[in-house]
């Protein structure tokens, strides 16, 4: 059997997604730092989550509402509450912490989630 995609191609895509994530996270933190001088953290979180909803809408329109079907509705609601609370804490923290420290703390989040998950 002939393999059509090489592992190197998948690695390249993974590296590109990591670079895109790093760039977008840095831009998000800098933008939040600038916006937090004029508007509250609650408003920033609202607009951030609203923009994420707008980004996800084409996928929903393409696949229909069946992608939301689940037998674990409570789990998704709890996950949404925790995710929104974490975003609110992050945006509030960005307002008062130097930007270099915020970036380091943002990447530390993944490590802490693994430790808590274990």
């Amino acid at each position: 059997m002939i393999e059509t995609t090489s592992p190197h191609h998948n690695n390249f895509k993974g590296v590109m997604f990591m670079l895109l994530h790093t760039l977008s996270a840095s831009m998000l933190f800098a933008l939040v730092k600038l916006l937090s001088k004029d508007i509250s953290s609650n408003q920033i979180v609202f607009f951030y989550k609203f923009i994420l909803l707008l980004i996800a809408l084409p996928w929903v329109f393409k696949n229909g509402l069946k992608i939301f079907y689940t037998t674990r509705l409570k789990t998704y609601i709890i996950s949404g509450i925790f995710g929104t609370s974490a975003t609110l804490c992050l945006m509030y923290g960005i307002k008062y912490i130097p930007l270099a420290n915020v970036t380091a703390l943002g990447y530390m989040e993944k490590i802490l989630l693994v430790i808590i998950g274990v």
Side-chain angles (χ1 to χ4, degrees):
M1 183 174 237
I2 299 173
E3 187 175 333
T4 57
T5 60
S6 69
H8 298 293
H9 179 69
N10 291 337
N11 290 343
F12 180 75
K13 281 190 347 186
V15 169
M16 288 297 113
F17 279 126
M18 283 189 248
L19 289 174
L20 178 66
H21 174 265
T22 303
L23 177 67
S24 60
S26 300
M27 288 174 32
L28 172 70
F29 295 155
L31 183 64
V32 168
K33 188 74 168 176
L34 289 173
L35 289 176
S36 64
K37 295 176 184 173
D38 297 328
I39 60 177
S40 73
S41 300
N42 296 336
Q43 292 170 322
I44 293 172
V45 170
F46 172 78
F47 286 121
Y48 172 67
K49 294 294 184 178
F50 184 72
I51 289 170
L52 291 178
L53 173 68
L54 292 179
I55 290 170
L57 276 180
W59 180 55
V60 172
F61 288 140
K62 179 183 176 198
N63 297 319
L65 292 177
K66 65 182 177 185
I67 61 173
F68 293 116
Y69 176 75
T70 181
T71 57
R72 298 176 154 192
L73 187 60
K74 289 180 190 176
T75 306
Y76 282 104
I77 291 172
I78 291 170
S79 173
I81 290 170
F82 282 139
T84 303
S85 300
T87 305
L88 186 58
C89 290
L90 177 66
M91 300 303 175
Y92 184 78
I94 289 174
K95 186 174 187 175
Y96 297 105
I97 299 174
L99 198 55
N101 294 347
V102 169
T103 305
L105 289 173
Y107 290 120
M108 183 82 161
E109 170 190 7
K110 278 80 173 164
I111 296 169
L112 293 175
L113 286 176
V114 169
I115 292 170
I116 291 170
V118 169

